[in-house]
Amino acid sequence: MKDAAPSTQPETFYLKDYTPFGYVVERVELVFRLSPEATRVLSKIRFAPNPDVSDRVFFLHGEKLKLISAQIDGEEVAPNVTDTGLSCEVPDTPFTWEAEVEINPKANTALEGLYMSNGMYCTQCEAEGFRKITYYPDRPDVMSIFNVRIEGDEKVMLSNGNPGESGEGFAEWHDPWPKPAYLFALVAGDLVNHPDRFTTRSGKDVELNIWVRPGDEGKCAFGMEALKKSMTWDEEVYGREYDLDVFNIVAVDDFNMGAMENKGLNIFNSSCVLASPETSTDANFERIEAIIAHEYFHNWTGNRITCRDWFQLCLKEGLTVYRDAQFTADMRSAPVKRIEDVIELRARQFPEDNGPLAHPVRPEAFQEINNFYTATVYEKGAEVIGMLKRLVGDEAYYKALDLYFDRHDGQACTIEDWIKVFEDSTGRDLAQFKNWYSQAGTPRLSVEESFEDGTYTLTFRQMSPPTPGQDHKDPKVIPIAVGLLSPTGDEVLPTTVLEMTEAEQSFSFEGFKTRPIPSILRDFSAPVILTRESSAKERAFLLAHDTDPFTRWEAGRELAKASRIAMVTDGASPDSNYLEALQSLVRDDHLDPAFRALVLAPPTESEIAQALADQGVTPDPDAIHDAAETFAQTLAQSLSDSLPRLFAATLVDGAYVPDAKGAGLRALNGRILGLLTRIDGGEAATKQFETANNMTVQNSALACLLKAEKGDAQSQAFFEQWQDDRLVMDKWFGLQVATARPERAPAIAQSMTKHPLFTIKNPNRFRAVMGALAMNHAGFHKADGSGYRLLADQLIALDPLNPQTTARMCSAFQTWKRYDAGRQDKIRAELKRIKATEGLSRDTNEMVSRILDA
């Protein structure tokens, strides 16, 4: 990691160039004198030469700062100041650096550093936001103890660590645990708290608070219970206790991310912590529970042990995503959670992995680190952890984690440190396994089978296609979980993990009288694309009999995709075998309702487009949409006699409880209602909307009515009921676009951007509209290019205000090369228009350039 100012051209940083910072930061003292347009930040930092670095350069990062004064050991100095930082001659012995800067939080629309959110001071320092607060070595391998004093008129003033002295107009905070600057946090404003307490297993009493704006106190109870569950779970499963006297969470309206794990002061996007039955859906409750757990788990996997540099981002994020997935599986349904994770992985990470934005789980180069907070780093990073655990076994995994915490507590580490812990703990050579961290792209796994003289053999071949900058890929270690079923549906081989290490490898099983039926990649044991020739009859058999929930669901998914593809390419009718299998499954009251809901959920239109592209067929978004509508209508008609009974059977009576059982029933009820609305003209949906006692069923009913173009009155009633609730209104904005017929989607999205309650400055509202447009597959890809043009217009307008959100939304264009020449030309023109924008941020420039270079 270089410590020099970049040139006027975007600078590329390389993993291979990492060098330690030349100085150790022994302690940090900060004073904030808050003022909306002219906050003064006084820093007093004790530096000492790093004995491990011979060629030392004193460079402190700093952006958009007005330097008032600078001193070394009390003497005024005149550093060399640039747009990216400052350098100065310093002693070869320990010294104290002092600086005073002025910043303008009110003008900070990028939501990085210190900014204002509806009158409240807030910070976001990951990845490189601290350099917009004061001059500092803003890199994750520089860790120190922080003492903070906040001065101002605000009712509540918070920072990291434990509270110190406070009084009229000031509050002091001390964080005893060394941390990098990206974990610094400060919040000040008119806030009220939802308090609680937690006693750790060693008897430590911890004060807990969720801080919110007045009026939101009633939406904190679920979040607090999720926090306490997370603290208990981390003690019981990983042996990790909390280590401060207080744990604070703050809900902020304007936030680029979901939440941030700052030590002792987690800052949350309001949508990820505030919940009530009237305003939040089951999906909101589950997401809140998972995100609160995720940020809390970072206390050890990210804070106590952090990453040496930003190339190692997956070290903290992949591991913590895996831990929060374990938590949700334990709190709710493990099979349902696993299937949902795979759906998300395929929807977000697979397109990334197989397109112009592909990069390894640990990148080797970047221009703007904010662009690497990706599904590859997070979700695929978690899959890599899961594979490692599957390969070494549960007992060895937790033994290795204990060693990791003992060996590296208080350090900034690398993937090599992580792998070495497992090698030392288990005695395994994991050099080949590291390919998962260094190679981009989703491996293709094909399989052939043979049966002779009672021996059944599976022969696997693995291939990783070329990705930007990587043409050749060595074989990976792939754990393949396999089970075998008899023709009668009995399991004749329970789940067995095959460890594939070669490009081609065979595995044999003996002693069978009849040819078994394989269940391959159980529990989605590796993030690969599996191809295997199998009949619709066999897939239907697995859907009916497989004992593994994931491969059972997968069999249904493959049936659905095959039927949908045949409808698009050959004009076929919906597959009757699949329809019969769905009818049987949805009527099976013995099955988990949440699982039945997942099986009923069709493949997305984007998923079908990618499947067609993989077969060398140029996808037609309109034809794909028409096939989806035809199939849904046919399914509804085939179930018409059962739908009213199924709908009634899945209604949840009584008070709303956000637990897994109720959520599963409501999920299935929503799927049934969507089909029923196609039959009854919206009668049941209208009644459900009018009688709803929670947001899940109200939102579901409104979505069904809008999709059937019968919900204008209900949409207006919803708006009038909830127009003062910002989070519910995000749902309303999104529904207008998500449910729109493709030919109308761009125009409706355009009208939403003109709505009085739309603001481009709020990331949640922007994503609600433009994210919904990008997800409306045929609408976004409307042949006249109006969807592309609208998104480009909005991105160009947003970029000067918020480069992070702009850059991330550019990913909507990443699959452009799979479409026809006309659509490609239109997307290319919009990407070039964005790139040609004067003053384009480096965040957006990098993303657009990578997509254009596909």
Side-chain angles (χ1 to χ4, degrees):
M1 182 178 293
K2 298 180 180 178
D3 285 315
S7 66
T8 55
Q9 295 297 318
E11 183 177 9
T12 300
F13 299 93
Y14 296 94
L15 171 62
K16 61 182 176 61
D17 291 339
Y18 170 83
T19 56
F21 185 55
Y23 298 85
V24 175
V25 179
E26 295 180 340
R27 66 177 181 273
V28 179
E29 297 178 21
L30 299 174
V31 177
F32 287 81
R33 294 173 180 161
L34 299 177
S35 175
E37 297 180 1
T39 290
R40 291 291 180 100
V41 183
L42 289 74
S43 60
K44 185 175 183 179
I45 307 169
R46 184 67 176 174
F47 287 98
N50 186 341
D52 298 328
V53 179
S54 57
D55 186 16
R56 289 187 286 270
V57 175
F58 186 74
F59 177 83
L60 303 182
H61 299 98
E63 294 179 9
K64 299 183 178 180
L65 306 175
K66 179 181 178 181
L67 180 63
I68 306 300
S69 65
Q71 297 179 339
I72 293 179
D73 290 334
E75 298 290 330
E76 293 284 340
V77 294
N80 178 35
V81 179
T82 70
D83 289 342
T84 59
L86 61 76
S87 56
C88 190
E89 294 294 326
V90 298
D92 288 332
T93 57
F95 62 94
T96 299
W97 163 271
E98 295 178 81
E100 181 175 356
V101 303
E102 184 178 287
I103 56 178
N104 186 345
K106 187 175 181 180
N108 183 2
T109 60
L111 313 184
E112 291 180 287
L114 179 66
Y115 64 92
M116 305 291 292
S117 173
N118 293 330
M120 179 172 68
Y121 292 90
C122 182
T123 57
Q124 170 54 33
C125 293
E126 187 177 0
E128 296 176 339
F130 192 77
R131 62 190 61 186
K132 295 182 178 181
I133 292 176
T134 192
Y135 289 102
Y136 193 79
D138 189 7
R139 39 188 291 166
D141 59 342
V142 176
M143 304 173 71
S144 185
I145 292 171
F146 280 64
N147 292 294
V148 177
R149 178 183 172 92
I150 308 169
E151 300 175 358
D153 298 329
E154 282 61 37
K155 178 181 176 182
V156 174
M157 295 182 283
L158 308 171
S159 191
N160 307 88
N162 295 320
E165 292 187 16
S166 62
E168 186 68 29
F170 81 96
E172 295 180 350
W173 292 82
H174 169 65
D175 189 351
W177 300 99
K179 66 172 179 285
Y182 83 85
L183 289 172
F184 172 80
L186 179 152
V187 173
D190 182 12
L191 298 168
V192 293
N193 68 319
H194 178 95
D196 210 325
R197 308 199 75 84
F198 182 84
T199 302
T200 69
R201 65 179 183 177
S202 63
K204 182 182 181 67
D205 182 51
V206 181
E207 176 188 343
L208 308 178
N209 295 291
I210 297 179
W211 295 91
V212 297
R213 297 184 185 282
D216 285 335
E217 304 96 312
K219 299 180 180 180
C220 299
F222 180 81
M224 183 61 77
E225 288 305 307
L227 174 60
K228 292 192 292 183
K229 287 179 182 178
S230 303
M231 298 175 81
T232 300
W233 186 89
D234 211 17
E235 289 183 348
E236 294 175 348
V237 178
Y238 280 86
R240 300 298 104 193
E241 285 191 41
Y242 187 61
D243 51 10
L244 289 170
D245 299 333
V246 60
F247 188 90
N248 287 315
I249 288 174
V250 181
V252 179
D253 288 346
D254 301 294
F255 204 69
N256 284 329
M257 301 181 180
M260 178 60 205
E261 70 267 19
N262 319 292
K263 184 71 177 180
L265 178 56
N266 285 189
I267 300 177
F268 273 64
N269 188 310
S270 297
S271 66
C272 299
V273 68
L274 301 181
S276 72
E278 297 79 17
T279 62
S280 307
T281 64
D282 288 322
N284 295 144
F285 278 102
E286 182 174 343
R287 183 168 183 255
I288 287 167
E289 184 178 68
I291 292 178
I292 285 177
H294 179 95
E295 305 307 334
Y296 175 74
F297 297 156
H298 264 312
N299 189 59
W300 277 91
T301 53
N303 296 1
R304 289 283 288 263
I305 304 176
T306 192
C307 46
R308 185 195 70 179
D309 51 69
W310 291 119
F311 297 100
Q312 321 293 330
L313 181 59
C314 63
L315 179 65
K316 73 182 187 78
E317 294 301 347
L319 177 55
T320 306
V321 169
Y322 181 73
R323 284 172 14 95
D324 81 54
Q326 287 182 290
F327 170 78
T328 298
D330 285 350
M331 295 299 106
R332 294 177 179 265
S333 164
V336 169
K337 170 61 175 170
R338 187 59 184 143
I339 294 168
E340 290 175 341
D341 284 348
V342 174
I343 292 172
E344 181 78 1
L345 187 79
R346 289 172 172 172
R348 295 180 59 241
Q349 197 280 321
F350 275 24
E352 186 174 275
D353 228 359
N354 296 302
L357 300 181
H359 62 86
V361 172
R362 180 173 68 177
E364 296 179 355
F366 64 77
Q367 292 178 5
E368 174 51 62
I369 184 55
N370 288 326
N371 290 338
F372 283 86
Y373 282 75
T374 62
T376 297
V377 167
Y378 280 67
E379 277 72 34
K380 187 174 181 180
E383 293 294 324
V384 174
I385 303 295
M387 285 189 291
L388 186 57
K389 182 172 180 286
R390 195 180 298 272
L391 287 167
V392 303
D394 289 357
E395 183 178 350
Y397 170 80
Y398 289 109
K399 180 181 177 182
L401 264 293
D402 286 341
L403 177 60
Y404 177 65
F405 293 129
D406 290 343
R407 180 182 289 180
H408 295 296
D409 187 14
Q411 297 179 13
C413 297
T414 65
I415 293 301
E416 283 72 22
D417 296 323
W418 167 254
I419 294 294
K420 184 75 162 56
V421 161
F422 276 83
E423 290 183 328
D424 291 350
S425 178
T426 66
R428 289 182 59 122
D429 181 352
L430 295 172
Q432 185 182 8
F433 185 80
K434 278 181 63 180
N435 287 340
W436 282 104
Y437 285 103
S438 60
Q439 294 180 7
T442 304
R444 270 64 170 171
L445 187 67
S446 62
V447 58
E448 295 179 357
E449 55 195 293
S450 65
F451 182 67
E452 186 175 355
D453 298 330
T455 298
Y456 179 73
T457 300
L458 291 170
T459 298
F460 294 93
R461 295 178 181 84
Q462 61 166 299
M463 187 277 292
S464 294
T467 51
Q470 291 186 337
D471 293 331
H472 172 74
K473 312 284 178 68
D474 292 326
K476 294 181 174 70
V477 180
I478 302 179
I480 307 170
V482 172
L484 298 178
L485 304 176
S486 74
T488 60
D490 296 326
E491 190 167 70
V492 293
L493 178 74
T495 301
T496 301
V497 178
L498 312 177
E499 189 170 331
M500 186 179 187
T501 58
E502 306 294 333
E504 180 176 329
Q505 202 163 347
S506 296
F507 302 88
S508 295
F509 310 90
E510 299 177 346
F512 297 108
K513 294 181 179 179
T514 57
R515 185 190 189 100
I517 298 165
S519 169
I520 302 174
L521 213 63
R522 285 185 161 184
D523 202 40
F524 200 62
S525 58
V528 300
I529 295 174
L530 176 67
T531 58
R532 172 177 171 266
E533 292 294 330
S534 62
S535 66
K537 181 180 179 181
E538 181 181 298
R539 289 170 179 163
F541 174 86
L542 290 172
L543 178 59
H545 298 289
D546 204 335
T547 57
D548 180 77
F550 170 77
T551 44
R552 187 177 190 181
W553 169 84
E554 179 81 318
R557 194 76 163 188
E558 289 301 311
L559 276 171
K561 286 167 61 177
S563 176
R564 195 74 56 80
I565 289 170
M567 292 172 69
V568 173
T569 58
D570 303 330
S573 299
D575 182 80
S576 59
N577 291 325
Y578 177 51
L579 287 171
E580 290 174 7
L582 275 185
Q583 293 167 27
S584 175
L585 185 142
V586 75
R587 293 177 178 129
D588 188 348
D589 294 334
H590 298 290
L591 288 175
D592 180 357
F595 177 78
R596 291 152 70 191
L598 285 171
V599 175
L600 272 179
T604 66
E605 293 176 29
S606 181
E607 189 176 349
I608 298 301
Q610 186 58 53
L612 287 165
D614 289 341
Q615 296 180 11
V617 178
T618 300
D620 179 345
D622 296 324
I624 293 171
H625 177 74
D626 290 344
E629 287 296 299
T630 298
F631 186 89
Q633 189 66 32
T634 304
L635 177 61
Q637 290 170 346
S638 71
L639 285 168
S640 59
D641 292 342
S642 302
L643 289 175
R645 180 193 69 79
L646 290 167
F647 178 71
T650 54
L651 289 172
V652 182
D653 296 326
Y656 175 89
V657 179
D659 60 4
K661 180 180 178 182
L665 280 169
R666 284 185 290 270
L668 182 56
N669 177 264
R671 293 292 174 194
I672 299 299
L673 183 61
L675 295 171
L676 183 57
T677 303
R678 294 175 176 273
I679 301 299
D680 72 354
E683 181 180 342
T686 299
K687 183 178 179 180
Q688 176 163 303
F689 181 86
E690 293 171 350
T691 59
N693 69 346
N694 63 79
M695 180 53 66
T696 302
V697 297
Q698 185 182 26
N699 190 74
S700 175
L702 179 58
C704 290
L705 290 168
L706 286 173
K707 187 169 180 59
E709 297 188 307
K710 296 179 180 293
D712 289 348
Q714 289 78 13
S715 181
Q716 183 61 30
F718 188 97
F719 178 85
E720 292 173 359
Q721 180 182 3
W722 298 113
Q723 59 185 311
D724 295 327
D725 190 301
R726 56 202 180 276
L727 298 181
V728 177
M729 287 312 297
D730 287 336
K731 295 178 175 64
W732 182 85
F733 272 93
L735 275 179
Q736 307 307 306
V737 184
T739 60
R741 291 189 181 275
E743 63 271 17
R744 299 182 59 214
I748 290 177
Q750 175 92 48
S751 70
M752 290 296 103
T753 67
K754 306 298 183 184
H755 194 281
L757 293 185
F758 179 83
T759 170
I760 198 171
K761 293 183 179 180
N762 180 266
N764 290 352
R765 190 60 48 84
F766 183 85
R767 287 188 290 254
V769 175
M770 301 316 298
L773 176 62
M775 294 293 287
N776 189 321
H777 183 256
F780 180 58
H781 292 286
K782 191 177 177 184
D784 66 0
S786 55
Y788 311 145
R789 188 163 53 252
L790 174 59
L791 179 57
D793 287 343
Q794 290 294 307
L795 294 178
I796 290 170
L798 181 63
D799 186 66
L801 303 172
N802 190 328
Q804 275 194 42
T805 299
T806 306
R808 287 174 182 150
M809 282 300 300
C810 286
S811 63
F813 291 117
Q814 68 178 321
T815 59
W816 68 293
K817 280 295 186 76
R818 71 189 182 192
Y819 297 100
D820 58 84
R823 287 181 170 89
Q824 286 191 30
D825 288 343
K826 290 180 174 65
I827 296 176
R828 184 186 293 107
E830 297 304 333
L831 288 168
K832 287 184 175 180
R833 183 161 69 93
I834 297 171
K835 187 173 174 61
T837 303
E838 184 177 355
L840 190 70
S841 70
R842 65 190 184 193
D843 306 61
T844 304
N845 181 72
E846 181 186 19
M847 290 291 282
V848 171
S849 297
R850 289 167 64 195
I851 294 170
L852 274 172
D853 291 342

